[in-house]
Amino acid sequence: MRLPATAYTSRPWRIHEIAGDFRVEDVWALPTPGGPDDLARLVRQFAGGDGPGGFTPLTRALFAIRWKLGKLLRWDEADAGLGGRVPSLRDRLPADLREGTRGPDRGQFTSVYQTHDEWAAEIANKTMQGVMHIGWVPDGAGGYRGQMTVLVKPNGLLGAVYMLGIRPFRYLGVYPAMLRAIGRKWQASEPTTL
């Protein structure tokens, strides 16, 4: 379920300290019911996840087209990404987050930090710099669930046009398939006992 931006902005997340110059693109409730300590389980699921392989054929095709276009138009070259065109958000971390758990990298995403109730990972290319923020929040019924926020900083006119152009694909294909895949995998996995 898509949520209003206030579901992200109203919470005292640590990400606010380092990503205030990013805009909230999307906020989604994840179908991951659990207890107060289950964020680490969700992060492990993301890190070991199927990525586009867990999605529909249409979604896999959209990802394949995007990566082909990126290669053709040179959007994803190393000098266009983290440490090239833009510095990593890790450079902005306060000491306690920098010295804490970093969390796993996931595909094209590089982990920034992980706490008990947050995980942030970033990506950058010629079109934008983005952050996937996964928070663990009370569900209003005595339990907890994941909440995914997508933060972006478009790179000029190219980035603004790119973000506008991919919006219908995200809402009609990518997010619905991704949320279903996350829910199926969550339900199929066993909670970790510490």
Side-chain angles (χ1 to χ4, degrees):
M1 171 174 62
R2 190 162 181 225
L3 300 172
T6 55
Y8 164 80
T9 59
S10 66
R11 300 205 47 91
W13 300 121
R14 299 294 305 272
I15 191 71
H16 297 308
E17 298 171 41
I18 62 167
D21 53 338
F22 286 70
R23 75 169 189 241
V24 177
E25 187 73 16
D26 297 300
V27 183
W28 297 89
L30 299 179
T32 55
D37 302 319
D38 281 340
L39 176 72
R41 175 181 164 212
L42 181 58
V43 170
R44 283 191 303 273
Q45 178 177 314
F46 264 85
D50 297 329
F55 298 157
T56 65
L58 172 62
T59 305
R60 285 193 303 272
L62 290 172
F63 273 104
I65 291 167
R66 164 53 187 94
W67 298 126
K68 289 283 187 188
L69 277 173
K71 184 173 180 140
L72 179 69
L73 300 172
R74 302 172 53 182
W75 289 344
D76 303 319
E77 293 180 346
D79 66 344
L82 298 172
R85 185 180 66 79
V86 294
S88 170
L89 287 177
R90 283 196 56 80
D91 297 344
R92 299 181 182 185
L93 290 177
D96 66 316
L97 289 179
R98 192 176 318 110
E99 295 164 5
T101 302
R102 185 172 158 261
D105 293 340
R106 172 64 174 101
Q108 302 289 325
F109 285 86
T110 301
S111 189
V112 179
Y113 70 89
Q114 182 178 339
T115 67
H116 181 260
D117 63 352
E118 290 181 71
W119 174 52
E122 65 183 329
I123 187 171
N125 56 47
K126 281 189 180 170
T127 64
M128 59 86 199
Q129 183 176 8
V131 177
M132 175 179 60
H133 179 267
I134 304 295
W136 197 247
V137 298
D139 65 7
Y144 290 78
R145 63 163 172 75
Q147 176 176 295
M148 180 176 70
T149 303
V150 177
L151 305 168
V152 297
K153 186 169 21 170
N155 184 20
L157 182 59
L158 171 65
V161 170
Y162 173 79
M163 293 306 298
L164 186 62
I166 67 170
R167 181 173 286 154
F169 299 105
R170 289 192 339 258
Y171 291 148
L172 296 176
V174 175
Y175 285 136
M178 182 174 64
L179 294 174
R180 284 191 302 272
I182 288 168
R184 281 192 306 269
K185 191 166 183 177
W186 184 261
Q187 292 302 322
S189 69
E190 291 294 320
T192 303
T193 305
L194 299 178

